[in-house]
Amino acid sequence: MVVLVLVSLVLSLGAVAAAQEGSEEAPRVRLARATWDTGWFQAEVYRLLLERLGYQVDGPTTMDNAEFYAAVAEGEVDLWVNGWFPAHDEFIPDGAPVSAVGTTVDDGALQGYFVDAATAAANGITNLGDLADPGVAELFDHDGDGLADLVGCNVGWSCATTIDHHLDAYGLTGTVEHVQGDYSPLIAETIDRYRAGQPVLYFTWTPNWTVGELDPGSDVVWLETPFPSLPPDQASALHQTTITGIPGCASDPCQTGWPPNDIRAFANTDFLDANPAVRRLLEQVVIPLDDISEQNVRMVTTGGDPADIRRHAEEWVAANMASVNRWISAANPDAVGIQQPGVDEATAGGSLNVAARALPPFVIYENRTYSGFEVELVRLVAAKLGMEVEIYAVDTTAKQIDDIGRGVARLGLGGVAITQSREEVVDFSLPVLDSGLTILVPNESSRGIDDRIVSFFDAIASSDLPWLLVVFGVAVLIAAHLIWLLERKHNPDFAGPYRRGIWDSFYWSVVTMSTVGYGDKVARGTRGRVLALVWIGLGTLVFASFTAAIASSLAVSELRSGISGPSDLAGKRVATATHSAAETYLPSIGVGPVLVDKIDDAYLLLLDGDVDAVVFDAPVLQYHASREGAGEITTVGSDFQRVQYGLMLGPDDTELRERINLALLDLIESGVYQRLHDTWFGGRG
């Protein structure tokens, strides 16, 4: 875990500070979590906070809705932080000693129905009620039963009950099927279907990674419901189902059919009465909806191992240390002043404004969130400094340098190579990555027949074959004229006027030289036979050279471009980005590069065949080749021309540079840096 080292000492300090006086063992909390993994991040954040408060946390244990609410009412589990209200009201036993406490997300959890924008626009679909038309419903029929397949909720989820209620209330049970099962693979299949250009119809909610994958208002649109209607236990929320400001809805306000939910902690009241510090903590904590959505996207895109989710929670706690300390202080005044290990309380606090230039894998901006190797590293560094990170986007390194010079930003990142020209205007931290340049070329297996034909003729044109063809033609014509002159008077095979006789002679010259020798035309005179013997010998050599040249050209055409390293770049069309290390390097080996403003433009030139190769920073090209360019392009050869990357700072910001360098050294020595490096680049050192 990336920041486990950073929090481990704090956990033990908090436990000592908050433990009941004279107690030999920390008090315990039995924590549960929901079955949907998009809520596990919050559970991990609260686990860390409870441990900081001095509690020993058992779990979190995964439970479905009905199971949890029954268990917490019986005192078999103490709390969870995945309560959705009013959606979960139906699960709360009457008179049970339980209560919701605090609000993690206020009125921000939205739910609703979606269809792909293309199908909606082509068929005028804006309302769930439109699916009452069998012709419209059939557009979303994927199993051939004539009913629209609506990917909905797992059996036992509260949303499943509401979906069934809607289908009945809006008269859709005869045209729409509620597809239930395991939501995660069902929605993944739905997204794959969308990417294949097929119509999709599904239910989802926020926060959820699905909203990041299929953007409402762009990829998909919200479906309004014909009128407000909810199950009887939610009837009091009917007036909340019309919501303003919904992107991708045909109307504003939008009749989503679902009230917005608060995400809240829910606990056993007896437990809260016995542990007032926990109640006070739960009343304090707020996690922004955007932060949850960002983590959900990261969780899905990185595979979502349990260690990843814990790491994401640890990073969030570290990045929001000021708020965390305030919550802990409010819950237990004796815990005031908890800091990250190594943070100087006199210098901790404040924001670290960061100007980031998107350059995967250093900085990735997707779905309105930032991730990437340097983004995660800077968050870890800031956590050690007790600072909160504020990242904003810029397009160029020049803009980063200007913003740092004007004091708008204190840090710049995005795969910025440490160069002499940059050192003259900004300062750098210790190198955060040591790599080099590499070469990107088309992947041979991705080329079509047209590309192969063009490559074949290009190879022929650049070989010795054209000259050999000239030699071959001249030799054949000479031999044809000689045999005609020697045989035309006494050999009927070559008799006749020049126009006819020379054609027969040309034919004889070719078949004899090629050793085919059909025998239908042969020399009969002594001088003609001597010429034939000489021609057979010479012709064999000429023809062998000709066929060798063809074979060589075919072999050349099967090579990507003959590029396997820097020494092969001479005479090739090579693209790179302006102001990069490659722009400086390529002229030193005699290559005048094709310059583009953004490296993404170089990828397009390569795929279009306008350049033979791209040379740029190895981490960037390798990341692109393994993801967006997979199957079409590949890197070749070993890395070359060492490149070091650093974090840019103002030349006069000496104090911050020293603090950042000390934090980097601590992350390196603790092994946290290596784990982060291996996450993004593999174990290559």
Side-chain angles (χ1 to χ4, degrees):
M1 286 171 278
V2 173
V3 294
L4 184 56
V5 175
L6 301 179
V7 300
S8 58
L9 292 178
V10 176
L11 301 185
S12 59
L13 289 173
V16 172
Q20 295 176 351
E21 185 175 357
S23 175
E24 296 182 358
E25 183 178 348
R28 308 176 76 88
V29 176
R30 296 167 296 177
L31 181 65
R33 69 181 182 186
T35 54
W36 54 91
D37 55 7
T38 53
W40 292 355
F41 168 67
Q42 298 98 287
E44 288 297 327
V45 169
Y46 276 85
R47 178 183 64 80
L48 290 173
L49 297 178
L50 289 166
E51 288 176 344
R52 287 177 180 276
L53 193 60
Y55 283 80
Q56 182 173 329
V57 180
D58 296 337
T61 303
T62 304
M63 306 177 110
D64 65 29
N65 294 342
E67 180 185 13
F68 165 75
Y69 287 102
V72 74
E74 294 297 326
E76 297 170 0
V77 66
D78 296 321
L79 64 92
W80 79 357
V81 295
N82 296 132
W84 280 51
F85 298 101
H88 287 183
D89 286 341
E90 63 175 297
F91 297 107
I92 302 175
D94 292 336
V98 292
S99 62
V101 55
T103 304
T104 306
V105 177
D106 183 18
D107 211 29
L110 304 179
Q111 304 173 80
Y113 305 103
F114 294 83
V115 297
D116 62 286
T119 303
N123 297 276
I125 303 172
T126 61
N127 195 292
L128 189 67
D130 294 336
L131 296 170
D133 182 344
V136 173
E138 192 174 4
L139 296 171
F140 305 97
D141 176 20
H142 300 293
D143 57 11
D145 63 359
L147 303 179
D149 294 321
L150 168 63
V151 175
C153 293
N154 291 18
V155 175
W157 290 3
S158 59
C159 52
T161 302
T162 304
I163 292 174
D164 289 338
H165 171 84
H166 282 166
L167 296 183
D168 183 61
Y170 305 140
L172 301 175
T173 54
T175 56
V176 179
E177 176 185 5
H178 182 188
V179 179
Q180 294 179 274
D182 193 346
Y183 184 82
S184 292
L186 283 173
I187 201 66
E189 181 180 277
T190 299
I191 292 173
D192 289 341
R193 186 176 290 127
Y194 168 84
R195 289 172 177 164
Q198 301 177 29
V200 294
L201 169 67
Y202 63 96
F203 163 87
T204 198
W205 63 91
T206 63
N208 197 335
W209 64 273
T210 54
V211 180
E213 287 291 325
L214 299 180
D215 183 36
S218 175
D219 303 321
V220 296
V221 296
W222 286 77
L223 287 183
E224 292 193 273
T225 55
F227 52 84
S229 183
L230 291 170
D233 60 302
Q234 299 181 43
S236 61
L238 279 174
H239 66 286
Q240 301 179 44
T241 59
T242 303
I243 305 172
T244 60
I246 299 293
C249 184
S251 303
D252 190 15
C254 181
Q255 174 53 250
T256 66
W258 301 77
N261 278 249
D262 295 331
I263 302 178
R264 309 185 66 185
F266 195 86
N268 181 280
T269 306
D270 294 338
F271 168 79
L272 293 175
D273 291 343
N275 296 273
V278 174
R279 182 192 293 273
R280 288 193 293 268
L281 176 67
L282 298 179
E283 290 171 346
Q284 300 293 319
V285 180
V286 173
I287 304 177
L289 185 65
D290 287 346
D291 290 1
I292 299 174
S293 297
E294 175 186 355
Q295 186 278 334
N296 286 176
V297 173
R298 292 174 65 198
M299 175 181 67
V300 173
T301 55
T302 61
D305 285 344
D308 291 328
I309 300 173
R310 289 193 294 270
R311 175 168 59 86
H312 297 161
E314 289 159 357
E315 290 174 353
W316 188 89
V317 169
N320 293 273
M321 186 57 64
S323 297
V324 167
N325 281 331
R326 186 171 64 252
W327 299 335
I328 298 296
S329 175
N332 179 9
D334 293 335
V336 172
I338 293 178
Q339 295 284 345
Q340 289 283 14
V343 173
D344 183 350
E345 293 188 24
T347 59
S351 295
L352 184 61
N353 292 336
V354 178
R357 181 174 60 100
L359 184 67
F362 295 101
V363 175
I364 301 170
Y365 185 68
E366 292 179 337
N367 305 315
R368 300 184 297 278
T369 61
Y370 290 95
S371 62
F373 169 71
E374 286 187 347
V375 171
E376 294 195 24
L377 182 62
V378 164
R379 284 172 175 159
L380 292 173
V381 168
K384 292 195 68 63
L385 303 183
M387 304 177 75
E388 296 187 4
V389 177
E390 297 290 341
I391 300 177
Y392 69 94
V394 297
D395 292 327
T396 64
T397 303
K399 174 64 173 172
Q400 289 176 298
I401 293 173
D402 185 71
D403 282 2
I404 290 173
R406 294 185 298 112
V408 176
R410 298 191 70 185
L411 208 62
L413 54 89
V416 182
I418 301 174
T419 63
Q420 180 181 352
S421 61
R422 288 171 181 160
E423 283 276 16
E424 294 174 354
V425 291
V426 294
D427 205 350
F428 282 92
S429 68
L430 293 172
V432 299
L433 186 68
D434 195 338
S435 185
L437 304 178
T438 196
I439 303 171
L440 191 70
V441 297
N443 191 339
E444 173 65 20
S445 62
S446 67
R447 299 198 305 166
I449 185 63
D450 293 341
D451 292 333
R452 292 175 180 270
I453 292 173
V454 170
S455 296
F456 170 69
F457 284 107
D458 285 344
I460 289 177
S462 61
S463 69
D464 294 331
L465 186 56
W467 293 106
L468 288 172
L469 286 171
V470 173
V471 172
F472 172 76
V474 171
V476 168
L477 286 174
I478 291 174
H481 281 81
L482 288 174
I483 195 67
W484 180 71
L485 290 171
L486 294 174
E487 294 287 313
R488 63 188 177 88
K489 293 182 178 180
H490 58 270
N491 189 341
D493 290 339
F494 302 96
Y498 175 81
R499 180 176 297 179
R500 175 184 172 187
I502 198 63
W503 170 249
D504 291 335
S505 300
F506 181 82
Y507 169 77
W508 172 88
S509 180
V510 172
V511 297
T512 301
M513 175 273 298
S514 65
T515 71
V516 175
Y518 294 121
D520 54 343
K521 294 185 185 298
V522 297
R524 298 182 180 181
T526 301
R527 288 180 298 178
R529 289 179 178 179
V530 171
L531 173 64
L533 291 174
V534 172
W535 180 234
I536 289 172
L538 292 175
T540 300
L541 295 176
V542 174
F543 193 76
S545 299
F546 177 68
T547 54
I550 292 178
S552 176
S553 297
L554 287 172
V556 169
S557 70
E558 288 301 312
L559 297 175
R560 275 191 295 267
S561 60
I563 298 174
S564 59
S567 60
D568 300 318
L569 294 175
K572 301 295 193 300
R573 300 164 299 171
V574 182
T576 193
T578 56
H579 309 299
S580 66
E583 180 187 6
T584 303
Y585 168 76
L586 288 171
S588 71
I589 61 171
V591 176
V594 177
L595 295 176
V596 296
D597 292 330
K598 295 183 178 180
I599 194 61
D600 289 352
D601 297 333
Y603 302 148
L604 297 177
L605 292 177
L606 184 64
L607 291 174
D608 292 341
D610 295 328
V611 296
D612 303 308
V614 174
V615 174
F616 196 65
D617 302 12
V620 177
L621 297 191
Q622 290 161 354
Y623 184 86
H624 179 76
S626 65
R627 289 166 174 80
E628 288 85 353
E632 294 185 303
I633 52 181
T634 185
T635 56
V636 295
S638 302
D639 297 352
F640 54 92
Q641 192 65 15
R642 183 184 182 197
V643 177
Q644 291 184 315
Y645 307 91
L647 308 177
M648 286 194 299
L649 304 98
D652 300 324
D653 210 346
T654 306
E655 179 186 356
L656 180 61
R657 183 193 64 196
E658 294 301 323
R659 294 173 63 201
I660 287 176
N661 286 344
L662 288 173
L664 286 171
L665 289 172
D666 186 74
L667 292 172
I668 292 170
E669 292 171 0
S670 66
V672 173
Y673 170 86
Q674 189 64 44
R675 289 193 291 273
L676 180 64
H677 175 281
D678 293 349
T679 297
W680 287 98
F681 305 112
R684 294 193 297 270

